[in-house]
Amino acid sequence: MNICVYGASSAKLEPVYYEKTEELGKMIGVRGHGLVFGGGKTGLMGAAARGVSASHGYILGIAPTFFDQPGILYENCSEFIFTETMRERKYLLEKKSDAVIVLPGGIGTYEEFFEILTLKSLGRVNRPIVLYNIQGYYDIIRKLLQQTADKAFMEKENLELCRFMDKPEEILDYIEHWQETFPMESLKE
């Protein structure tokens, strides 16, 4: 299975974020899964890729051509796809993966998470979505989603479309044993 990770590109985070993400990456590779990611060398994207590399797993990087500059992209990908735009990149991240893990990140990561969650709520994608809640990073997003449902801005059932987890084993067990939440026929465009 190919697992997409969204996450920070920042090289200024507390070390625990890199350590936990690299541990997750190693486990992805050890369990025989591939990594699909935004191609970045630094931040949590790079940490995930280094972890998968350490366990000799498959890595697909996808990035727009304007990121193809020294020191920006992870060089040890099994395969790399260049796109013209960020939108095309996001589309391919979605199409080339079977599950999503949202690492801690900034506004780009939030945007990617909320788009995939919206697509799942609309029946356009059907895959497990997990927020890797390192150090409680996503507790505030969990509260925001709960408030959104409590105030009827979204259906309460949408709270079940993603999970918040803080252990790599738990994340991968959930993904590996995840069951479809609705028939695939509803995904036809």
Side-chain angles (χ1 to χ4, degrees), residues 3 9 16 27 29 59 68 72 75 80 84 87 106 140-141 156 158 161 167-168 177 182-183 187-188:
I3 299 172
S9 61
V16 66
M27 198 169 292
I59 303 171
D68 193 11
I72 301 293
E75 303 91 2
F80 212 101
E84 290 303 313
R87 284 180 186 217
I140 193 80
I141 296 288
K156 287 196 185 278
N158 287 343
L161 297 179
K167 294 178 183 64
H177 298 99
F182 49 84
L187 296 178
K188 294 187 173 141

Tab-separated table of all heavy atoms in Angstrom, residues 3 9 16 27 29 59 68 72 75 80 84 87 106 140-141 156 158 161 167-168 177 182-183 187-188:
chain	number	residue	atom	x	y	z
A	3	ILE	N	1.337	5.044	1.116
A	3	ILE	CA	0.827	5.948	2.133
A	3	ILE	C	1.348	7.349	1.863
A	3	ILE	O	2.550	7.574	1.814
A	3	ILE	CB	1.258	5.486	3.541
A	3	ILE	CG1	0.702	4.088	3.824
A	3	ILE	CG2	0.791	6.494	4.594
A	3	ILE	CD1	1.224	3.461	5.098
A	9	SER	N	7.741	21.378	6.246
A	9	SER	CA	9.046	21.405	5.573
A	9	SER	C	10.074	22.171	6.400
A	9	SER	O	11.227	22.261	6.025
A	9	SER	CB	8.908	22.054	4.186
A	9	SER	OG	8.457	23.388	4.321
A	16	VAL	N	12.058	16.307	18.762
A	16	VAL	CA	11.120	15.200	18.944
A	16	VAL	C	10.243	14.993	17.704
A	16	VAL	O	9.911	13.849	17.357
A	16	VAL	CB	10.256	15.391	20.212
A	16	VAL	CG1	9.317	16.585	20.088
A	16	VAL	CG2	9.475	14.120	20.533
A	27	MET	N	9.048	2.450	10.090
A	27	MET	CA	8.013	1.442	10.244
A	27	MET	C	7.211	1.267	8.955
A	27	MET	O	6.817	0.150	8.606
A	27	MET	CB	7.105	1.812	11.408
A	27	MET	CG	6.291	0.659	11.914
A	27	MET	SD	5.483	1.057	13.467
A	27	MET	CE	6.905	1.178	14.536
A	29	GLY	N	8.369	1.537	5.933
A	29	GLY	CA	9.208	0.698	5.081
A	29	GLY	C	9.301	-0.736	5.562
A	29	GLY	O	9.192	-1.686	4.771
A	59	ILE	N	9.876	5.026	-2.254
A	59	ILE	CA	9.562	6.441	-2.006
A	59	ILE	C	9.246	7.120	-3.327
A	59	ILE	O	10.074	7.131	-4.240
A	59	ILE	CB	10.751	7.172	-1.345
A	59	ILE	CG1	11.148	6.494	-0.039
A	59	ILE	CG2	10.416	8.644	-1.126
A	59	ILE	CD1	12.440	7.031	0.547
A	68	ASP	N	12.691	22.527	-7.782
A	68	ASP	CA	13.895	21.805	-8.201
A	68	ASP	C	15.114	22.729	-8.139
A	68	ASP	O	15.620	23.201	-9.148
A	68	ASP	CB	13.707	21.233	-9.611
A	68	ASP	CG	14.788	20.228	-9.976
A	68	ASP	OD1	15.558	19.817	-9.081
A	68	ASP	OD2	14.860	19.862	-11.157
A	72	ILE	N	16.634	21.538	-1.796
A	72	ILE	CA	15.194	21.573	-1.536
A	72	ILE	C	14.570	20.168	-1.564
A	72	ILE	O	13.760	19.838	-0.701
A	72	ILE	CB	14.459	22.475	-2.560
A	72	ILE	CG1	14.999	23.900	-2.515
A	72	ILE	CG2	12.952	22.440	-2.355
A	72	ILE	CD1	14.709	24.639	-1.227
A	75	GLU	N	16.913	13.595	-2.439
A	75	GLU	CA	17.586	12.984	-3.595
A	75	GLU	C	17.435	11.474	-3.700
A	75	GLU	O	17.699	10.906	-4.753
A	75	GLU	CB	19.100	13.289	-3.571
A	75	GLU	CG	19.469	14.752	-3.543
A	75	GLU	CD	19.620	15.289	-2.111
A	75	GLU	OE1	19.477	14.518	-1.138
A	75	GLU	OE2	19.853	16.500	-1.977
A	80	PHE	N	10.525	10.029	-8.920
A	80	PHE	CA	10.158	11.428	-8.685
A	80	PHE	C	9.313	11.916	-9.847
A	80	PHE	O	9.648	11.675	-11.007
A	80	PHE	CB	11.398	12.318	-8.538
A	80	PHE	CG	11.182	13.462	-7.603
A	80	PHE	CD1	11.665	13.425	-6.306
A	80	PHE	CD2	10.448	14.574	-7.999
A	80	PHE	CE1	11.441	14.471	-5.419
A	80	PHE	CE2	10.217	15.619	-7.131
A	80	PHE	CZ	10.719	15.572	-5.839
A	84	GLU	N	3.740	20.984	-12.835
A	84	GLU	CA	3.834	22.417	-13.134
A	84	GLU	C	3.300	23.268	-11.995
A	84	GLU	O	3.756	24.379	-11.780
A	84	GLU	CB	3.081	22.736	-14.437
A	84	GLU	CG	3.757	22.182	-15.674
A	84	GLU	CD	5.185	22.670	-15.835
A	84	GLU	OE1	5.434	23.898	-15.698
A	84	GLU	OE2	6.069	21.814	-16.075
A	87	ARG	N	-1.334	22.573	-7.378
A	87	ARG	CA	-2.602	21.850	-7.506
A	87	ARG	C	-2.399	20.493	-8.156
A	87	ARG	O	-2.982	19.491	-7.735
A	87	ARG	CB	-3.599	22.659	-8.330
A	87	ARG	CG	-4.204	23.793	-7.574
A	87	ARG	CD	-5.179	24.543	-8.441
A	87	ARG	NE	-5.625	25.712	-7.726
A	87	ARG	CZ	-6.842	26.179	-7.789
A	87	ARG	NH1	-7.741	25.592	-8.551
A	87	ARG	NH2	-7.183	27.238	-7.103
A	106	GLY	N	2.271	23.243	8.954
A	106	GLY	CA	1.743	24.594	8.940
A	106	GLY	C	0.566	24.730	7.999
A	106	GLY	O	-0.172	23.774	7.746
A	140	ILE	N	-5.838	20.847	19.068
A	140	ILE	CA	-6.636	22.037	18.737
A	140	ILE	C	-7.508	21.800	17.497
A	140	ILE	O	-8.643	22.276	17.426
A	140	ILE	CB	-5.739	23.295	18.590
A	140	ILE	CG1	-6.584	24.568	18.573
A	140	ILE	CG2	-4.879	23.230	17.350
A	140	ILE	CD1	-6.998	25.019	19.929
A	141	ILE	N	-6.992	21.045	16.528
A	141	ILE	CA	-7.789	20.715	15.339
A	141	ILE	C	-8.939	19.782	15.737
A	141	ILE	O	-10.066	19.936	15.260
A	141	ILE	CB	-6.916	20.062	14.244
A	141	ILE	CG1	-5.849	21.037	13.744
A	141	ILE	CG2	-7.774	19.527	13.094
A	141	ILE	CD1	-6.350	22.174	12.900
A	156	LYS	N	-22.232	15.421	12.452
A	156	LYS	CA	-21.437	14.756	13.495
A	156	LYS	C	-20.731	13.514	12.947
A	156	LYS	O	-19.653	13.162	13.409
A	156	LYS	CB	-22.304	14.402	14.692
A	156	LYS	CG	-22.688	15.626	15.514
A	156	LYS	CD	-23.214	15.248	16.878
A	156	LYS	CE	-23.691	16.466	17.634
A	156	LYS	NZ	-22.660	17.213	18.282
A	158	ASN	N	-19.150	13.204	10.330
A	158	ASN	CA	-17.869	13.573	9.719
A	158	ASN	C	-16.709	13.506	10.699
A	158	ASN	O	-15.550	13.426	10.289
A	158	ASN	CB	-17.952	14.965	9.089
A	158	ASN	CG	-18.763	14.962	7.817
A	158	ASN	OD1	-19.014	13.922	7.223
A	158	ASN	ND2	-19.206	16.135	7.397
A	161	LEU	N	-14.455	10.500	10.102
A	161	LEU	CA	-13.739	10.365	8.830
A	161	LEU	C	-12.222	10.402	8.969
A	161	LEU	O	-11.501	10.078	8.029
A	161	LEU	CB	-14.187	11.459	7.858
A	161	LEU	CG	-15.655	11.421	7.464
A	161	LEU	CD1	-15.974	12.572	6.522
A	161	LEU	CD2	-16.031	10.082	6.851
A	167	LYS	N	0.949	7.052	18.152
A	167	LYS	CA	1.908	5.947	18.130
A	167	LYS	C	1.980	5.368	16.718
A	167	LYS	O	0.950	4.974	16.152
A	167	LYS	CB	1.486	4.864	19.110
A	167	LYS	CG	1.542	5.308	20.563
A	167	LYS	CD	1.054	4.202	21.486
A	167	LYS	CE	1.042	4.647	22.918
A	167	LYS	NZ	0.102	5.732	23.200
A	168	PRO	N	3.191	5.266	16.149
A	168	PRO	CA	3.321	4.738	14.783
A	168	PRO	C	2.690	3.357	14.590
A	168	PRO	O	2.044	3.111	13.579
A	168	PRO	CB	4.829	4.681	14.564
A	168	PRO	CG	5.382	5.718	15.467
A	168	PRO	CD	4.481	5.711	16.679
A	177	HIS	N	-5.798	-2.298	8.712
A	177	HIS	CA	-7.053	-3.000	8.993
A	177	HIS	C	-8.290	-2.146	8.724
A	177	HIS	O	-9.405	-2.551	9.061
A	177	HIS	CB	-7.057	-3.500	10.444
A	177	HIS	CG	-5.966	-4.481	10.699
A	177	HIS	ND1	-4.787	-4.129	11.300
A	177	HIS	CD2	-5.854	-5.786	10.386
A	177	HIS	CE1	-4.002	-5.190	11.369
A	177	HIS	NE2	-4.620	-6.200	10.814
A	182	PHE	N	-17.816	3.436	2.811
A	182	PHE	CA	-18.943	3.513	1.890
A	182	PHE	C	-18.535	2.809	0.615
A	182	PHE	O	-17.363	2.634	0.335
A	182	PHE	CB	-19.379	4.956	1.607
A	182	PHE	CG	-18.253	5.891	1.242
A	182	PHE	CD1	-17.794	5.966	-0.064
A	182	PHE	CD2	-17.659	6.697	2.201
A	182	PHE	CE1	-16.764	6.824	-0.399
A	182	PHE	CE2	-16.616	7.538	1.856
A	182	PHE	CZ	-16.173	7.600	0.559
A	183	PRO	N	-19.502	2.362	-0.182
A	183	PRO	CA	-19.183	1.590	-1.393
A	183	PRO	C	-18.362	2.409	-2.401
A	183	PRO	O	-18.577	3.602	-2.574
A	183	PRO	CB	-20.549	1.249	-1.993
A	183	PRO	CG	-21.534	1.499	-0.905
A	183	PRO	CD	-20.919	2.503	0.018
A	187	LEU	N	-17.835	6.595	-5.626
A	187	LEU	CA	-16.699	7.453	-5.969
A	187	LEU	C	-16.625	7.788	-7.451
A	187	LEU	O	-15.787	8.564	-7.862
A	187	LEU	CB	-15.384	6.751	-5.562
A	187	LEU	CG	-15.212	6.509	-4.073
A	187	LEU	CD1	-13.911	5.771	-3.834
A	187	LEU	CD2	-15.232	7.808	-3.308
A	188	LYS	N	-17.464	7.192	-8.253
A	188	LYS	CA	-17.410	7.452	-9.684
A	188	LYS	C	-17.691	8.913	-9.977
A	188	LYS	O	-18.604	9.494	-9.440
A	188	LYS	CB	-18.385	6.544	-10.425
A	188	LYS	CG	-17.957	5.103	-10.311
A	188	LYS	CD	-18.799	4.205	-11.165
A	188	LYS	CE	-18.174	2.828	-11.095
A	188	LYS	NZ	-19.072	1.767	-11.035
